[in-house]
Amino acid sequence: MSHPSQLSRNNTNRNVSHDVMRGLAILLIIIFHANKELLPYGYHGVDIFLAICGYYICQSFRRETYSTSAYLKKRLARIYPPLLISILLTLLLLTIFSSKDTLIPSAKTALAAIFGVSNIYLSNQEGGYFANSTMDNALLHTWYIAITLQVYILFALVRHLLSRCRTIWKLIPAALTGILSFLWANQVLIFVIFHKLNLPFFASTPQAPDEMYYELFPRLWVVLAGCGAAFIPETKSTKMATFLGLAGIVLMLVPSVIHTETAKILAVCVVTGSVLAIRYLPESRNLTWLTESKPLAWVGRISFSLYLVHLPIFTLYRSLTGQEELPLLDICLILPLLLLLGYAFYKGVENRRIPGKLILPAAAACLIFAPAAICTRGFSQYIHKKANSISIATYTDFGESKDEALLHDYPGDQLTYWDGVYRFTGQKVPQMNTTLLHIGDSEKAANFILLGDCQAHTLYAGLHECCRQEGLSGVFPATYMLAFWDRLCNGGDNRVYHREKAEAMLKWLSRHPEIKHVILAQLWSYWMPPETLLEKKWDGSLHSANNLESATQDLMTLCRKLKDTGKNVIILNEIPTIASHSPLRAIRGQLCFSDSPTSKTLQQSAEEYARKNAPYLHCLEKVQAAGLCTLLHAAQIHLEDGQFSAWEDGQVLMHDNMHQSYPAALKTAKGLMPKLREILKQ
């Protein structure tokens, strides 16, 4: 990005081809933040910026002779004023127009951004960079600026410490750091290679790129690769320079624009392409249509300002309209406005060289404004009272089972604790091992158990309340009982059962004949797709043979094992799902302008449900026809009127696109209770 520290203020000294690269990178990022479905890997634009950053840092160290303190002062004085002013303006707009859901996380991130550690703060928050919940954070993008500041400080300190060393002793630690950083950042790719070659890997489960997205160390190899571009020799052949420059552009852009899961770990292509483009685009005389493109160069020149203003604008727009992924028409309308705002910010703030003495007052203003915004929760609550009064109902009245007969041999040490039941009911997540929660009347002996994935976790609170009213009693393990099928038991998420853990649960159930019924609640359509199970969610252990029929046979095997131990199996089909990943935000946004949300992203018709779920429903009916289970249709409770809506009777029925809230769980349980009561009292 066009940090002033990387560029001369005199336009005649600028490298236009590098401005073009910045222009392409910022457009990738803008489109990604506007609609992830259009450019699912547009975030690779950040890698382009980091490579260019590394190149100019290296060039600066090779040419400049002033002290480390002067170097840092120059960089900080050019980055901090635009950053602080953008934070102030963003918080001001959010305080007036947005809901507390947007204002509070943004204000907390602002406090970290002031000190250049927003990447560290964000890495410790629930949900990563790609989580739907981060759409509410208007200052999420400051993580990159924090990384840049940390890179400047780190490189300046290293330069100071090694200032008297020979060049070779500077290059060796840089090369080693780059190699280690690359290996750490690409664990998944290396793991797959080692797995193919049957070689041991240092960790049983590699850390995914998403999990280290905000960290500095996995980014250093990108910066050092950019530094390496400064040492690549020139080529005397114009044709070769053109070829390498064009190859660089292709490698730089392709992983960002293709729709494939593999692109997620192909930052190496983007960085390689960036290095080639940095070095050879300026020499590519046959590519002047690209390297001297005035529109792209202009966008690249103001890219830092564009980066600062684009995400607050998108977040505010989403907050007011309730939209998540912006339609292409909206993007086309907003993009010219963004360019105008970016240019105005560039001319009015970034390019004015605001005196360094104003940094401290601006930082102080941010430090006062951000906590004030968190405490007051903004003015929007007074302007749009109805919209801001809406919340997702929570449930607190549940606890651990006290049934000693069940607890004394409960295999909690062999199971994997998952906190979903607490998060979905709005409770503080306790730190514990796998625990057994009671359902219904805790004074009575439990005669059923609820098992499953997130569908079971979201249903728990409603089922618990209804069973308590009916005098029924059961238990629910706070765990993620998903992979009943052998082929799903290999690799993947460590919350998911492996075969031996599923067997531990089955053995425990076989020792307790008082548990007569097993209720299975799963997101069947997610794990039983019609053709091939979703390999992208797992490692290479899944094969094309894992189709719907084989998954059905494995489910039958599980049901037979439960039947052999005297258990009656009850299977619940899944409730309807919606397109919106943040129903609460969408509902609040629409209530600002209308009396009732009518967006199709908050609804699913009975026809849509039937079309989407027909394959797995057919398989569940086959299991029931074989006499292995009783199938209860939870979805029909929500589709009585032919359409399910996430907004009903003033209640938000969904946490996100697939997880029901407590009011929805209560409605589901009440609808199931007549048949469930009859079965459980047998």
Side-chain angles (χ1 to χ4, degrees):
M1 167 171 328
S2 58
H3 288 304
S5 56
Q6 299 173 7
L7 304 170
S8 170
R9 192 178 184 183
N10 184 351
N11 286 346
T12 60
N13 292 331
R14 300 179 69 97
N15 193 317
V16 179
S17 61
H18 294 169
D19 278 343
V20 169
M21 291 177 62
R22 293 187 186 95
L24 291 171
I26 192 62
L27 290 176
L28 292 177
I29 293 172
I30 288 174
I31 296 173
F32 169 75
H33 282 150
N35 190 323
K36 294 182 177 67
E37 294 177 0
L38 292 178
L39 270 184
Y41 307 108
Y43 58 84
H44 280 310
V46 169
D47 294 316
I48 301 172
F49 283 135
L50 285 174
I52 297 174
C53 176
Y55 175 78
Y56 279 97
I57 287 176
C58 185
Q59 293 289 57
S60 177
F61 285 171
R62 293 174 71 184
R63 295 172 183 172
E64 296 174 1
T65 58
Y66 45 78
S67 66
T68 300
S69 60
Y71 171 84
L72 284 176
K73 186 176 180 180
K74 180 180 178 182
R75 269 64 183 170
L76 299 180
R78 295 306 305 275
I79 293 176
Y80 257 110
L83 172 63
L84 295 174
I85 292 174
S86 70
I87 289 174
L88 279 173
L89 292 175
T90 298
L91 292 180
L92 179 62
L93 288 172
L94 296 181
T95 301
I96 298 173
F97 296 108
S98 74
S99 67
K100 62 182 180 180
D101 297 326
T102 299
L103 176 62
I104 292 176
S106 301
K108 290 180 178 179
T109 305
L111 290 173
I114 294 167
F115 297 100
V117 292
S118 55
N119 63 318
I120 299 173
Y121 166 75
L122 291 167
S123 67
N124 291 310
Q125 301 305 299
E126 184 179 336
Y129 181 75
F130 304 98
N132 294 313
S133 58
T134 60
M135 282 185 171
D136 294 323
N137 193 337
L139 294 171
L140 180 75
H141 61 324
T142 59
W143 73 268
Y144 165 76
I145 300 172
I147 288 279
T148 304
L149 289 169
Q150 292 161 21
V151 165
Y152 284 146
I153 293 170
L154 177 64
F155 275 62
L157 291 176
V158 171
R159 177 202 184 200
H160 178 72
L161 293 174
L162 301 180
S163 59
R164 297 185 179 181
C165 296
R166 298 173 59 185
T167 302
I168 186 65
W169 295 111
K170 297 177 183 178
L171 295 178
I172 290 175
L176 290 175
T177 302
I179 292 170
L180 292 174
S181 173
F182 173 82
L183 294 175
W184 187 258
N186 293 278
Q187 290 181 45
V188 172
L189 183 62
I190 298 168
F191 174 79
V192 171
I193 295 172
F194 275 46
H195 184 72
K196 296 288 185 182
L197 299 176
N198 293 321
L199 296 175
F201 194 69
F202 69 89
S204 58
T205 303
Q207 191 175 4
D210 298 5
E211 299 172 7
M212 60 180 92
Y213 192 83
Y214 297 116
E215 297 175 13
L216 172 63
F217 184 67
R219 299 280 178 180
L220 287 180
W221 76 274
V222 182
V223 181
L224 289 167
C227 292
F231 296 93
I232 297 177
E234 296 182 3
T235 177
K236 296 180 181 180
S237 170
T238 303
K239 290 184 179 180
M240 180 58 70
T242 301
F243 171 77
L244 292 174
L246 188 59
I249 290 293
V250 172
L251 288 172
M252 191 175 78
L253 297 180
V254 166
S256 296
V257 300
I258 58 176
H259 287 242
T260 170
E261 184 70 14
T262 313
K264 210 166 190 177
I265 57 174
L266 286 185
V268 61
C269 289
V270 178
V271 176
T272 303
S274 299
V275 170
L276 291 174
I278 289 169
R279 188 65 191 88
Y280 293 112
L281 269 187
E283 302 175 18
S284 304
R285 297 178 183 176
N286 296 329
L287 294 176
T288 53
W289 56 271
L290 176 64
T291 60
E292 297 180 8
S293 171
K294 291 184 179 180
L296 281 176
W298 178 77
V299 172
R301 196 170 300 122
I302 64 170
S303 59
F304 184 43
S305 294
L306 275 175
Y307 187 82
L308 289 173
V309 303
H310 84 282
L311 192 59
I313 296 299
F314 285 152
T315 306
L316 187 61
Y317 185 79
R318 288 188 174 104
S319 180
L320 292 174
T321 63
Q323 295 188 65
E324 294 177 10
E325 305 298 348
L326 273 61
L328 185 58
L329 178 60
D330 292 31
I331 297 173
C332 293
L333 294 174
I334 294 174
L335 188 57
L337 175 62
L338 274 180
L339 293 174
L340 287 174
L341 288 175
Y343 181 70
F345 197 84
Y346 171 76
K347 296 295 288 186
V349 180
E350 180 188 347
N351 206 39
R352 275 189 172 276
R353 292 185 180 270
I354 295 175
K357 62 183 180 181
L358 295 180
I359 292 179
L360 286 179
C366 290
L367 287 172
I368 295 172
F369 203 131
I374 295 171
C375 294
T376 62
R377 300 191 173 189
F379 300 126
S380 178
Q381 59 183 316
Y382 305 108
I383 301 171
H384 303 295
K385 292 183 179 180
K386 182 179 179 180
N388 284 282
S389 65
I390 302 302
S391 61
I392 297 179
T394 59
Y395 187 77
T396 59
D397 194 12
F398 62 90
E400 296 182 48
S401 172
K402 297 181 175 59
D403 192 329
E404 294 298 331
L406 295 177
L407 291 173
H408 85 279
D409 63 343
Y410 179 66
D413 57 337
Q414 300 179 52
L415 307 180
T416 307
Y417 166 66
W418 192 55
D419 59 16
V421 68
Y422 296 95
R423 291 193 292 108
F424 291 136
T425 51
Q427 306 308 307
K428 183 178 180 181
V429 177
Q431 298 296 320
M432 61 176 71
N433 295 322
T434 303
T435 187
L436 198 63
L437 302 176
H438 72 263
I439 299 176
D441 191 343
S442 60
E443 301 300 322
K444 293 184 177 180
N447 77 330
F448 74 91
I449 185 171
L450 172 66
L451 296 176
D453 58 6
C454 55
Q455 291 284 291
H457 284 258
T458 54
L459 176 64
Y460 167 75
L463 187 62
H464 172 55
E465 183 61 29
C466 287
C467 286
R468 186 168 60 177
Q469 295 173 10
E470 295 287 340
L472 302 173
S473 181
V475 289
F476 173 59
T479 188
Y480 201 90
M481 189 71 172
L482 164 65
F484 300 115
W485 308 287
D486 292 349
R487 295 176 184 83
L488 283 176
C489 293
N490 301 317
D493 195 326
N494 60 12
R495 299 175 307 188
V496 176
Y497 271 108
H498 293 258
R499 181 180 177 84
E500 61 271 17
K501 294 182 179 181
E503 291 292 343
M505 174 62 75
L506 291 172
K507 288 179 181 178
W508 177 74
L509 286 172
S510 68
R511 294 194 296 268
H512 292 278
E514 66 272 26
I515 302 290
K516 298 178 181 179
H517 308 279
V518 177
I519 301 175
L520 301 181
Q522 299 236 180
L523 197 65
W524 304 103
S525 63
Y526 193 74
W527 303 108
M528 298 176 70
E531 294 179 359
T532 304
L533 293 172
L534 304 180
E535 293 191 25
K536 66 179 182 179
K537 302 182 183 307
W538 306 86
D539 63 13
S541 61
L542 291 181
H543 304 290
S544 58
N546 296 318
N547 54 28
L548 187 60
E549 182 60 31
S550 63
T552 305
Q553 292 300 321
D554 289 334
L555 179 57
M556 286 184 172
T557 300
L558 169 72
C559 292
R560 288 192 184 97
K561 288 184 177 182
L562 290 170
K563 296 282 281 187
D564 290 344
T565 59
K567 312 301 180 192
N568 176 45
V569 181
I570 304 166
I571 291 181
L572 307 181
N573 71 345
E574 65 183 71
I575 67 162
T577 57
I578 57 175
S580 175
H581 290 277
S582 182
L584 180 61
R585 180 180 60 225
I587 289 168
R588 282 177 171 167
Q590 292 183 42
L591 286 177
C592 290
F593 304 99
S594 65
D595 294 331
S596 179
T598 57
S599 172
K600 291 184 179 180
T601 62
L602 297 171
Q603 301 170 348
Q604 186 178 54
S605 67
E607 292 78 11
E608 290 173 326
Y609 180 88
R611 184 170 58 254
K612 174 187 174 184
N613 298 292
Y616 92 79
L617 285 173
H618 175 68
C619 294
L620 295 185
E621 289 167 355
K622 285 176 63 177
V623 178
Q624 179 177 239
L628 297 174
C629 76
T630 300
L631 179 61
L632 299 183
H633 294 279
Q636 301 308 316
I637 298 164
H638 297 277
L639 293 168
E640 287 181 339
D641 299 329
Q643 183 165 275
F644 169 74
S645 175
W647 173 252
E648 183 178 278
D649 299 328
Q651 297 278 6
V652 182
L653 299 189
M654 299 292 284
H655 281 282
D656 50 37
N657 63 320
M658 62 177 64
H659 299 125
Q660 61 184 331
S661 65
Y662 168 62
L666 192 60
K667 181 179 179 179
T668 303
K670 285 181 178 179
L672 291 172
M673 196 48 61
K675 292 184 179 179
L676 207 54
R677 183 197 310 116
E678 180 183 346
I679 296 171
L680 296 179
K681 286 189 174 181
Q682 289 178 358

